[in-house]
Structures are given as structure tokens and as C-alpha cells.
Amino acid sequence: MGPGDLRKVLHLLPPGEVREEILVGLDTPDDAAVFRLDGERALIHTLDFFTPIVDDPYLFGQIAAANALSDIFAMGGNPVSAMNIVCFPCSLGMDILAEILRGGMEKVREAGAVLLGGHTVDDDEPKYGLAVTGLIHPDRVMTCLGARDGDSLVLTKPLGTGILATALKGDFISEEDMAEAIRGMAALNREASRAALEAGAHACTDVTGFGFLGHLLNMLPEEGLGCVVHASSLPLYPLTREMASMGMIPAGAYRNRDFVEEWVEWSPEVEDTDRMILLDPQTSGGLLVALSPQGLQVFSGLLKEGREWSRVGEFVSSPRRSIMVEP
Ligand code: CO
Ligand code: CO
Ligand code: CO
């Protein structure tokens, strides 16, 4: 569902319950919820599932699991346990389902968590994902909000997975052509999360369905802060620009554009293709991190610039919530 529709539904509901244990709940744009147990521990809850984005069932399982675990890492938490969410047409064959689950299970183990069970529904179209529970110190939760004027904006994985998946579905590229993107989607955000925590990040979120700009918008409060983005500094998976210029743009990118439009000022020099890449819905994307100048130094001592992260913009004071996209 696009961000606009989701917002409409949430407005139809009564406001979320107010309890002092709820550190992050329904009222914030964060994807995961945080519930304090005591002075030392809080639970993080999140879940995510979707239809196959690649043909290989094992890789799909890995990607879906990495994606579901990501919201725990975006908050700086440690995943503890996970449950499978499975929709599957029995006619496809149980060996395929077993491969999906094996991929997911191995990824959960790699993340240091345990898979405890799950639930399966017969459905025409396969879908897979996880509900994940994590632990975090209640005083060390990173959320979307908290960036300050002068902070750098850092991104820890390239963009382009929605565009490449669209091209793959249309047989314009093969799974081998998008090997780097598949590796990227299956990679955990764990190291980036630890580096962000250690660097004292002011804010952190992960890039998924709302695209780079949609998730960046979630990092900006109603007023007082803007962000300048340098489009040419954004890391892209191979073939992303080629496929985007051929029109391989997923419908979600247009939904994301409608949602962010009001707050985005495009420099006329930023081409349409690049605009759509910034709006492309991502699967298991990287972390977006707001870092002070000192924080950026610590971060760059922990992870390799260029390979593991790129500085893609900076936060600036602005009367109005706004994203300025420069070439
Ligand atoms: Co999510
Ligand atoms: Co998220
Ligand atoms: Co059940």
C-alpha cells in the first residue's frame, strides 16, 4: 500500500493507546514499535512480508528475512526471535516452499536470532516474510526523528531494486544481471546499525517501500528542518539508470511521487530518470542515518566510504519541511 493510502486508513482509526511503556507506537512514522519492559530492556516488534521479487526461492527467502529484520536494526536493536508468515499455493510444490523457508531461516540465524514457528495460509500468490521481536536498551532507541541542522545524511546501500525487479519481471534483464542488487537485498543492516549507534546517530531509518525520498521525508519534523540531497552522490545498483531510462518504473514510484511532491523542490537540472530512481520503492534497502560532524568521523572509521556507505546530503534549518534535490 502506498504511503498516502496508509495515512488515510490510520486517520480512520481511533488514536493509539497512551501508556508510559510505549516508547514508539502508532503515532510515529517508524515501522517498528518499542515497548519498555523495565529500566534496562525494551521489546521491538516488527513484521514485513511480500510477493517474490526474484525467481530463486532460496534467495527470495533470504531477501524477505533480511527485509523483515531491517526495522529492528534501523532502531539499533538486536533481533531475538522470529516467526514465519507464509501465503502459498500448494500447487507450486512443497520443495519450493521449503527453499523459501530455508533461505529465511538461515538469514534469521545469521542475524543472531532464532526462528520459533509461523503460520501458513493457502493463497493464489506466494508471499513470505517474518514477524520479528528484538531487544534494545530503552535509552538507546534510534528513530526516524532527531536529525539536526548541520547533520550529514548517509545511505548504506545502493538504490534501484524496484526498477531492477520490474525489468526482471519483463525479461529485460536476468537474475545474473542483477546479482549485485540481490546480494545487497539479502545483506543484513546489522553492521551499519552498530556503526550508527556507536557514532551517536541523531536519527536512523531504513529505505523500503516509500523510496529514498519517502523515508527521508519521514525524518523531517512538521517544521524547522529541511534536507539538501545531492542526486549524483546516490549509490545505484548496476543497470538501474539504464532500466529507469527505458521506462522500467514500478507503479509504487508514482505513488511515492504523489506523496512527497508537496515537500520536494527539484533543481531543474535533475533529470526525470534520476527523479524516479529517488522515488523507486526499495526492498531491503539500506539505512538512512543522520550524523553530526563528529559522528560522521566515527562512522567513517567503522565502515568503508564508497563501498559501505555514501554521504548523500545534509540537513539544514528551514522554516518549512522540505527536501531540496540538487544535481
Ligand atoms: Co517495514
Ligand atoms: Co523500515
Ligand atoms: Co496459526
Side-chain angles (χ1 to χ4, degrees):
M1 196 184 272
D5 288 332
L6 182 61
R7 182 173 276 196
K8 271 182 220 149
V9 176
L10 292 176
H11 274 307
L12 295 175
L13 296 173
E17 210 178 320
V18 180
R19 276 173 66 171
E20 61 172 29
E21 292 95 337
I22 303 172
L23 304 183
V24 178
L26 284 172
D27 309 328
T28 79
D30 287 282
D31 294 330
V34 183
F35 189 92
R36 195 182 65 223
L37 293 174
D38 53 40
E40 300 289 308
R41 294 172 310 158
L43 289 174
I44 313 180
H45 296 286
T46 188
L47 73 86
D48 239 307
F49 63 105
F50 47 75
T51 54
I53 165 160
V54 291
D55 296 329
D56 184 306
Y58 175 79
L59 290 173
F60 170 52
Q62 291 232 304
I63 291 168
N67 182 74
L69 289 154
S70 176
D71 283 322
I72 305 273
F73 291 127
M75 293 197 139
N78 290 311
V80 174
S81 59
M83 306 280 278
N84 283 326
I85 301 164
V86 183
C87 303
F88 199 75
C90 295
S91 55
L92 264 188
M94 287 308 121
D95 45 337
I96 291 186
L97 179 55
E99 277 299 279
I100 295 173
L101 298 181
R102 186 171 70 87
M105 208 169 194
E106 286 182 12
K107 194 49 72 176
V108 167
R109 191 178 304 144
E110 182 191 329
V114 283
L115 193 94
L116 296 177
H119 187 76
T120 310
V121 174
D122 193 4
D123 196 354
D124 293 339
E125 196 176 16
K127 298 170 195 79
Y128 173 64
L130 297 166
V132 188
T133 304
L135 276 174
I136 193 166
H137 192 287
D139 302 335
R140 297 198 77 194
V141 182
M142 297 190 289
T143 65
C144 295
L145 292 170
R148 299 171 203 172
D149 176 20
D151 280 358
S152 288
L153 175 68
V154 156
L155 175 66
T156 67
K157 281 186 192 178
L159 301 175
T161 68
I163 288 162
L164 293 174
T166 304
L168 178 70
K169 280 208 182 89
D171 279 329
F172 289 90
I173 57 170
S174 67
E175 248 170 48
E176 291 77 62
D177 291 330
M178 65 179 286
E180 206 170 311
I182 290 174
R183 256 198 312 280
M185 288 187 281
L188 295 173
N189 279 326
R190 179 172 46 186
E191 300 315 315
S193 166
R194 286 183 181 163
L197 266 181
E198 211 159 311
H202 289 156
C204 184
T205 190
D206 60 345
V207 183
T208 49
F210 302 163
F212 171 81
L213 289 180
H215 290 280
L216 174 56
L217 188 65
N218 279 342
M219 297 180 84
L220 298 174
E222 298 287 326
E223 52 189 32
L225 196 68
C227 190
V228 179
V229 171
H230 309 286
S232 56
S233 65
L234 280 147
L236 305 182
Y237 287 118
L239 296 174
T240 297
R241 187 165 278 120
E242 288 84 340
M243 291 302 121
S245 63
M246 283 170 61
M248 302 291 129
I249 310 292
Y254 296 99
R255 277 200 298 270
N256 290 340
R257 185 177 64 185
D258 293 343
F259 179 67
V260 302
E261 215 163 35
E262 186 183 341
W263 294 280
V264 179
E265 293 162 30
W266 299 99
S267 155
E269 288 148 73
V270 180
E271 288 172 31
D272 268 352
T273 305
D274 288 320
R275 297 184 189 200
M276 294 322 288
I277 292 170
L278 298 191
L279 295 161
D280 183 36
Q282 301 298 286
T283 297
S284 193
L287 298 185
L288 273 177
V289 191
L291 294 163
S292 69
Q294 303 90 302
L296 187 68
Q297 262 183 1
V298 176
F299 196 81
S300 65
L302 296 167
L303 298 178
K304 281 201 183 59
E305 184 172 8
R307 203 165 62 83
E308 293 173 300
W309 63 278
S310 305
R311 187 180 177 282
V312 297
E314 60 267 341
F315 291 92
V316 293
S317 90
S318 158
R320 182 177 177 270
R321 183 190 205 201
S322 61
I323 299 173
M324 290 140 281
V325 184
E326 297 186 346

